[in-house]
Amino acid sequence: MEHYEAFLRSKNWIDNDLDARYINRNHPYAILISGEEGQINLRGNTGSDNGQSGEEIFTFTSLNELQEWFENNIGE
């Protein structure tokens, strides 16, 4: 999962709590990395929980899928 983490950090998404939940103050999403399942979940960020209770929007199973989503939806 290190490649996911490096990619997210390069896009200014941070994991403040070091619990694999990445946020970016400029976006209404949280990205949760599940190393055990090999998935990345994009969730709505409901505020103080950094996406823990947010609605799941997308699930990615590869770094390429995540990068493509960023390019198509965020423009980064």
Side-chain angles (χ1 to χ4, degrees), residues 7-73:
F7 172 74
L8 291 170
R9 283 192 304 267
S10 76
K11 300 296 184 187
N12 297 316
W13 290 72
I14 56 171
D15 179 8
N16 285 333
D17 300 327
L18 303 175
D19 59 359
R21 290 183 296 184
Y22 287 79
I23 59 168
N24 182 321
R25 294 186 184 264
N26 298 318
H27 298 287
Y29 312 113
I31 298 175
L32 287 72
I33 298 176
S34 175
E36 296 167 2
E37 298 173 12
Q39 294 181 343
I40 301 251
N41 295 307
L42 179 71
R43 293 188 179 179
N45 189 357
T46 59
S48 63
D49 72 351
N50 292 341
Q52 187 67 34
S53 300
E55 179 181 347
E56 189 169 310
I57 300 168
F58 290 106
T59 297
F60 307 100
T61 57
S62 72
L63 181 55
N64 287 340
E65 288 178 358
L66 180 64
Q67 289 171 324
E68 185 176 314
W69 186 90
F70 263 80
E71 291 171 8
N72 294 335
N73 296 283

